[in-house]
Amino acid sequence: MQYLTTIMNEYGYLVLFLSIALGILALPIPMEAVLAYAGFLSFLEQLNWFGSILSSALGCTLGMLLSYWVGFKLGMQFFEKHGKRIHIESERLEAISNWIRKYGNKLLLISLFIPVFRHFIGYFSGITRVPIKVYTLYTGIGSTLWVSSFIFIGKSLGPQWDIFFEAIKKYVFLTIIVLFILIGAIYLFKKIRNVVMETGTK
C-alpha cells in the first residue's frame, strides 16, 4: 500500500484508474484503501474530487468489462469441462447462472461492495450472456456508487484515513468468513431438501 500511495502522489488519476481496473481482475490491490487515500488527497486538494471519482469509476467499469469479455469468450463449456479443478462443478455453475439471470441487475449494483464476489460477477455475467448494454449500464452505475462511497469516506476522515484502512482489513476478513458460511449453509440446505424430497417420492 505504501508503494501505491507514493506513486499516487506523482501520477494520481492514472494510478487510480489502473489500480482499480487491475484490482477488479483479482490482482492483490487494496482497492478500498486506494479509494480512501484518493479521498484524502482530495481533502488536501492535491486531487480533484470529481476527477478521482471519474477516473476510478472508469477503471472499475473497464475491469468489469474485461472480466465479462473473458467469461463470454470462455463460455459455459470451458467451466463444464474444467470447473472441477477450481471447485465449480456443473451443478454449482448452473445455480450461479440461474441466480444471475434472476437477480442480475440488482447484483451488478451491489456486487462491488461484496469482497471476493465482485471478482467473479463479471465472469459469470459473460458466461450467462447478460446483454452487454444492460451489463455496462448497471456496472457503470454500481462502479460510480462504490468508488464514490469510499472516496467520500477518505475525504471526510482527512488525515485519519489510514485508521479506516485498518478497519477495512478487518471488514474484508469478516465479510469473507460470513460469505463462505452463508454459501455453505445454502448449499447444505439444498442438499438436505433434495434428500428429503427424494425420500418422500419413494
Side-chain angles (χ1 to χ4, degrees):
M1 182 62 198
Q2 186 175 358
Y3 175 72
L4 277 174
T5 56
T6 301
I7 60 175
M8 271 186 71
N9 292 336
E10 294 289 329
Y11 309 101
Y13 302 117
L14 178 61
V15 174
L16 192 55
F17 173 84
L18 291 175
S19 61
I20 299 303
L22 295 174
I24 289 297
L25 293 172
L27 269 70
I29 295 173
M31 293 183 291
E32 286 91 349
V34 169
L35 292 169
Y37 186 68
F40 171 60
L41 291 180
S42 69
F43 169 82
L44 297 176
E45 298 185 351
Q46 293 181 21
L47 289 179
N48 178 270
W49 187 45
F50 177 76
S52 298
I53 291 174
L54 180 62
S55 57
S56 53
L58 288 173
C60 184
T61 303
L62 174 63
M64 294 291 283
L65 285 171
L66 288 173
S67 63
Y68 176 95
W69 179 81
V70 171
F72 188 90
K73 287 294 181 181
L74 291 177
M76 190 74 78
Q77 291 180 345
F78 174 85
F79 286 90
E80 288 176 346
K81 186 176 181 180
H82 304 286
K84 289 184 179 180
R85 297 178 184 176
I86 53 176
H87 306 291
I88 303 178
E89 294 81 3
S90 57
E91 290 181 1
R92 187 177 301 178
L93 181 61
E94 187 62 32
I96 294 172
S97 299
N98 291 335
W99 200 30
I100 290 174
R101 291 189 189 100
K102 189 173 182 180
Y103 305 107
N105 296 347
K106 295 176 183 178
L107 285 174
L108 289 171
L109 288 176
I110 65 170
S111 62
L112 289 164
F113 290 89
I114 307 173
V116 180
F117 186 69
R118 60 174 164 240
H119 299 300
F120 295 100
I121 184 69
Y123 297 110
F124 283 112
S125 295
I127 291 167
T128 55
R129 302 297 196 264
V130 173
I132 187 62
K133 290 183 179 179
V134 173
Y135 178 82
T136 304
L137 174 63
Y138 281 90
T139 294
I141 295 172
S143 297
T144 304
L145 291 173
W146 178 60
V147 303
S148 299
S149 300
F150 287 96
I151 289 173
F152 176 76
I153 290 171
K155 184 176 174 65
S156 300
L157 291 176
Q160 295 182 322
W161 77 274
D162 55 338
I163 297 174
F164 172 72
F165 174 45
E166 293 300 321
I168 276 295
K169 289 194 289 187
K170 295 178 182 178
Y171 147 77
V172 170
F173 180 71
L174 289 173
T175 303
I176 290 173
I177 291 175
V178 171
L179 190 62
F180 275 108
I181 291 173
L182 284 174
I183 291 172
I186 292 170
Y187 181 76
L188 183 61
F189 172 76
K190 287 184 176 180
K191 282 284 186 182
I192 294 172
R193 185 184 62 183
N194 290 339
V195 170
V196 171
M197 289 178 65
E198 289 175 4
T199 305
T201 56
K202 292 180 180 179

